[in-house]
């Protein structure tokens, strides 16, 4: 029987991110994927201007109530972009209503990148995001989101000891596992995780690709979520997520000079060209579990 996950985040109708990344990637990993959209945007907000935004806050409780009446069960709940403070409370209530003993909750606390908040967010939103991070099993911030959650300055430079300290402090929010993405180590780029139950840190790296691509955080969090629900350890999951995210960036960079002039890197990575690699990574989970 297939494992089942629900992802709660926006739908950007054009530009590959959020639900339009999570749904195909997690489905390709062999996990049934349901969606609850938090908002509908004509495009994502990175690089585009003049986009439309439809807030779906009032729809979420109605969807949840219907699902409760259907007695639906989810092996995983994975949240991404939340468009308002009110949505964080609604999502916290969703966790309480749908969490079972075997449910894994993964929170990608989407708020910003590169030391800057995304459009529409204010610094005090981090306090609301802390509330759902407290209820999560796994949280997946980048360095910007880490600094907002911990209320510390954005680290322009850092060493491994700094990251270990940040990870420990993130688990003090209430989650069991914290993963910080976008970690540079010389010519390498990856993620570091900390499991407070085991007290161990885990790292995964690939070669650093200097081009900036939109939606890579969503790719990482989606693949991490799918891997965890498929039974991967956190060490396996971050390795798969780092490898696949890098694969998609390389595929996109290799294709950029062939693309028409009206296609830009911020449209999103070409994950479609790498699906065979994702399927192979998932098969590796099954082998490792035996």
């Amino acid at each position: 029987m297939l494992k089942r996950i629900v992802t709660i985040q926006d739908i950007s109708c054009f530009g590959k991110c959020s639900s339009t990344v999570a749904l195909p990637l997690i489905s390709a990993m062999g996990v049934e994927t349901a969606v609850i959209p938090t908002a509908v945007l004509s495009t994502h907000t990175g690089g585009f201007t003049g986009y439309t935004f439809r807030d779906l806050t009032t729809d979420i409780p109605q969807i949840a109530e219907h699902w409760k009446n259907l007695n639906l069960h989810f092996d995983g709940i994975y949240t991404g972009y939340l468009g308002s403070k009110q949505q964080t409370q609604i999502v916290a209530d969703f966790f309480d209503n749908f969490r079972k003993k075997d449910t894994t909750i993964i929170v990608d606390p989407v708020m910003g990148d590169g030391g800057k908040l995304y459009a529409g967010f204010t610094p005090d939103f981090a306090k609301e995001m802390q509330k759902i991070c407290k209820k999560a099993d796994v949280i997946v911030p980048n360095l910007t989101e880490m600094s907002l959650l911990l209320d510390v300055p954005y680290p322009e430079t850092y060493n491994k000891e700094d990251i270990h300290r940040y990870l420990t402090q993130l688990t003090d929010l209430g989650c069991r596992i914290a993963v910080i993405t976008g970690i540079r180590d010389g010519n390498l780029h990856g993620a570091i995780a900390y499991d407070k139950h085991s007290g161990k840190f885990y790292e995964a790296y690939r070669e650093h690709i200097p081009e900036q691509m939109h939606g890579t955080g969503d790719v990482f969090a989606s693949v991490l979520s799918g891997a965890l629900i498929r039974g991967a350890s956190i060490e396996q999951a971050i390795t798969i997520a780092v490898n696949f995210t890098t694969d998609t960036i390389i595929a996109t960079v290799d294709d950029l000079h062939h693309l028409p002039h009206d296609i830009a890197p911020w449209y999103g990575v070409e994950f479609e060209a790498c699906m065979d690699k994702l399927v192979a990574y998932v098969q590796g989970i099954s082998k490792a579990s035996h």
Side-chain angles (χ1 to χ4, degrees), residues 79-235:
T79 70
Y81 176 93
L82 303 179
S84 68
K85 294 179 181 179
Q86 186 180 354
Q87 286 185 1
T88 61
Q89 183 57 56
I90 292 171
V91 165
D93 293 340
F94 187 93
F95 291 168
D96 292 339
N97 288 325
F98 285 89
R99 173 179 237 149
K100 305 296 183 184
K101 286 184 178 180
D102 60 345
T103 303
T104 300
I105 296 177
I106 304 107
V107 171
D108 181 4
V110 178
M111 291 183 283
D113 199 6
K116 298 179 181 179
L117 287 162
Y118 290 138
F121 287 109
T122 57
D124 63 341
F125 186 77
K127 292 183 175 60
E128 304 301 320
M129 190 61 76
Q130 286 176 345
K131 296 177 182 178
I132 64 169
C133 287
K134 180 179 182 179
K135 292 177 175 287
D137 297 297
V138 183
I139 64 172
V140 196
N142 58 31
L143 285 165
T144 301
E145 291 150 356
M146 174 281 298
S147 70
L148 291 165
L149 289 171
L150 297 181
D151 194 22
V152 297
Y154 173 73
E156 298 286 352
T157 61
Y158 51 83
N159 56 38
K160 197 168 294 185
E161 289 72 25
D162 295 329
I163 299 302
H164 286 184
R165 184 177 68 257
Y166 293 142
L167 285 166
T168 303
Q169 291 172 346
L170 285 169
T171 60
D172 289 341
L173 295 176
C175 60
R176 171 189 166 185
I177 296 171
V179 182
I180 298 179
T181 63
I183 302 298
R184 288 287 305 278
D185 186 0
N187 293 323
L188 300 176
H189 204 147
I192 302 180
Y194 173 65
D195 183 338
K196 72 177 179 182
H197 285 190
S198 68
K200 293 183 179 180
F201 296 91
Y202 304 96
E203 303 177 6
Y205 295 100
R206 278 279 297 275
E207 64 272 32
H208 173 65
I209 313 297
E211 283 78 4
Q212 294 293 316
M213 300 286 173
H214 188 86
T216 52
D218 296 333
V219 170
F220 182 96
S222 297
V223 172
L224 179 86
S225 299
L228 291 172
I229 301 309
R230 283 299 303 262
S233 66
I234 187 60
E235 184 176 20

